[in-house]
Amino acid sequence: MKKNISKYNIHTDKWGNLVALEGNDLIPFHIRRVYYIYGVQKGVRRGFHSHKKLEQVLICVHGSVKILVKTPDEEEIVTLNKPNEGLYIGPNIWREMYDFSEDAVLLVLASAHYKESDYIRKYDDYLKYYEKKVRGSK
Ligand code: T46
């Protein structure tokens, strides 16, 4: 599964903390879009899709959230609750985000502009796409 968790350096001084992220370096792609999700109500589950090409790094800069990442072969639940920890999610991985704390702010760095045609939003379509494009190309 093309995903991994990175810990970023925190610059701490008497004035507080600073985390710096640079594209093509700590973030393994050129950052073309930044968005953030917050104010998610208790019990809400988001995501339910995969991307054909998009690469992203998810950082919960405040609060906590759980991320389910899965392929037809494996699945894992990652808890993000540190502002210096990023979860990289590559293409062709199904994701769901849930258990947002009330104060959660989920920051996302993305490798491309928003493009609906890059999404696969139905799980059945994802399974078919995965068989054909991912397994089929191995
Ligand atoms: C992902 C997870 C982690 C835009 O207009 N521009 C944007 O850049 C994004 C991300 C969304 N939108 C619109 C599209 C929908 O009308 O905002 C609405 C909510 O988007 P969506 O339902 O896709 O949100 P999530 O939380 O399910 O998923 C988002 C990202 O879309 C997705 O790429 O991996 O966060």
XYZ file of all heavy atoms in Angstrom, residues 2 5 27 33 35 41-42 53-54 59 67 87 93 99 113 116-117 124 131 138:
174
model
N 0.618 2.186 -0.901
C 1.473 3.367 -0.979
C 1.080 4.381 0.088
O 0.415 5.380 -0.187
C 1.369 3.996 -2.356
C 2.135 3.254 -3.400
C 2.074 4.009 -4.709
C 2.719 3.192 -5.800
N 2.283 3.609 -7.130
N 3.733 6.991 7.379
C 3.583 8.099 8.323
C 4.948 8.731 8.553
O 5.927 8.026 8.798
C 3.014 7.579 9.661
C 1.642 6.937 9.411
C 2.897 8.697 10.686
C 1.173 6.070 10.537
N 7.736 16.594 1.967
C 6.510 16.190 1.271
C 6.967 15.662 -0.087
O 7.589 16.403 -0.865
C 5.553 17.399 1.104
C 5.231 18.039 2.468
C 4.280 16.975 0.371
C 4.582 17.115 3.480
N -1.981 22.059 -4.073
C -3.258 22.437 -3.439
C -3.167 22.152 -1.950
O -2.546 21.176 -1.537
C -4.403 21.635 -4.070
C -5.774 21.886 -3.478
C -6.867 21.298 -4.391
N -6.572 19.928 -4.753
C -7.287 18.866 -4.354
N -8.356 19.027 -3.598
N -6.946 17.646 -4.730
N -5.904 22.138 1.425
C -7.255 22.368 1.954
C -7.319 21.816 3.369
O -6.411 21.095 3.796
C -8.335 21.747 1.055
C -8.269 20.255 0.868
C -8.967 19.388 1.711
C -7.505 19.691 -0.154
C -8.924 18.017 1.538
C -7.452 18.322 -0.324
C -8.158 17.487 0.516
O -8.098 16.131 0.343
N -19.080 17.069 12.593
C -19.960 16.665 13.699
C -19.630 15.252 14.164
O -19.160 14.416 13.379
C -21.418 16.693 13.232
C -21.908 18.039 12.745
C -22.096 19.027 13.884
O -22.651 18.685 14.919
N -21.600 20.235 13.687
N -19.944 14.989 15.420
C -19.753 13.669 16.017
C -20.463 12.608 15.166
O -21.592 12.841 14.707
C -20.388 13.689 17.411
C -19.696 12.845 18.415
C -20.357 13.048 19.788
C -19.917 11.935 20.611
N -19.237 11.747 21.590
N -4.788 9.189 -9.512
C -3.406 9.698 -9.609
C -2.968 10.511 -8.397
O -1.775 10.599 -8.115
C -3.272 10.592 -10.843
C -3.489 9.894 -12.157
C -2.482 10.363 -13.198
C -2.464 9.484 -14.420
N -3.454 9.885 -15.425
N -3.908 11.129 -7.718
C -3.573 12.113 -6.677
C -2.761 11.527 -5.523
O -3.039 10.438 -5.031
C -4.870 12.711 -6.120
C -4.707 13.933 -5.215
C -4.258 15.152 -6.013
C -6.011 14.244 -4.479
N -2.434 15.855 7.650
C -1.865 16.222 8.951
C -2.991 16.757 9.827
O -3.678 17.711 9.431
C -0.780 17.327 8.800
C 0.319 16.871 7.837
C -0.185 17.699 10.156
C 1.235 17.986 7.375
N -8.139 7.496 10.363
C -8.183 7.323 8.911
C -8.101 5.823 8.621
O -7.148 5.157 9.042
C -6.968 7.996 8.207
C -6.644 9.378 8.793
C -7.186 8.043 6.701
C -7.538 10.501 8.427
N 0.398 11.695 7.266
C 0.109 10.396 6.625
C 0.085 10.601 5.113
O -0.749 11.353 4.591
C -1.259 9.877 7.103
C -1.809 8.641 6.370
C -0.937 7.411 6.645
C -3.253 8.363 6.780
N -5.832 4.000 -3.273
C -6.095 3.565 -1.892
C -7.448 4.133 -1.457
O -7.681 5.346 -1.553
C -4.978 4.028 -0.938
C -3.669 3.341 -1.320
C -5.345 3.726 0.520
C -2.492 3.703 -0.471
N -14.372 9.553 13.472
C -13.983 9.869 14.862
C -13.233 11.191 14.959
O -12.214 11.286 15.669
C -13.108 8.742 15.452
C -13.950 7.675 16.146
O -15.198 7.785 16.117
O -13.352 6.739 16.714
N -4.478 19.965 -8.511
C -5.699 20.735 -8.281
C -6.888 19.778 -8.181
O -6.803 18.622 -8.612
C -5.924 21.722 -9.428
C -4.937 22.845 -9.437
N -4.953 23.851 -10.365
C -3.890 23.116 -8.603
C -3.977 24.701 -10.118
N -3.309 24.264 -9.060
N -12.639 16.259 -10.237
C -13.599 15.205 -9.860
C -13.340 13.909 -10.637
O -13.569 12.811 -10.120
C -15.037 15.718 -10.067
C -16.143 14.822 -9.538
C -16.026 14.432 -8.042
O -15.644 15.279 -7.214
O -16.316 13.253 -7.716
N -12.807 14.041 -11.877
C -12.597 12.823 -12.678
C -11.469 11.935 -12.128
O -11.296 10.804 -12.573
C -12.311 13.177 -14.140
O -11.147 13.968 -14.202
N -17.618 -0.513 -5.501
C -17.637 -1.517 -6.573
C -16.769 -1.080 -7.758
O -16.043 -1.888 -8.345
C -19.075 -1.732 -7.088
C -19.822 -2.699 -6.179
O -19.201 -3.194 -5.213
O -21.014 -2.947 -6.438
N -8.582 -4.057 -9.960
C -8.258 -5.322 -10.661
C -7.623 -5.041 -12.010
O -6.622 -5.642 -12.387
C -9.543 -6.146 -10.874
C -10.009 -6.900 -9.657
C -8.922 -7.756 -9.004
O -8.179 -8.451 -9.719
O -8.798 -7.697 -7.765
N 0.665 -5.367 -13.098
C 1.815 -5.998 -12.412
C 2.304 -7.217 -13.173
O 1.559 -7.849 -13.876
C 1.428 -6.376 -10.994
C 1.500 -5.166 -10.056
C 1.096 -5.517 -8.638
C 1.024 -4.239 -7.796
N 0.284 -4.424 -6.564
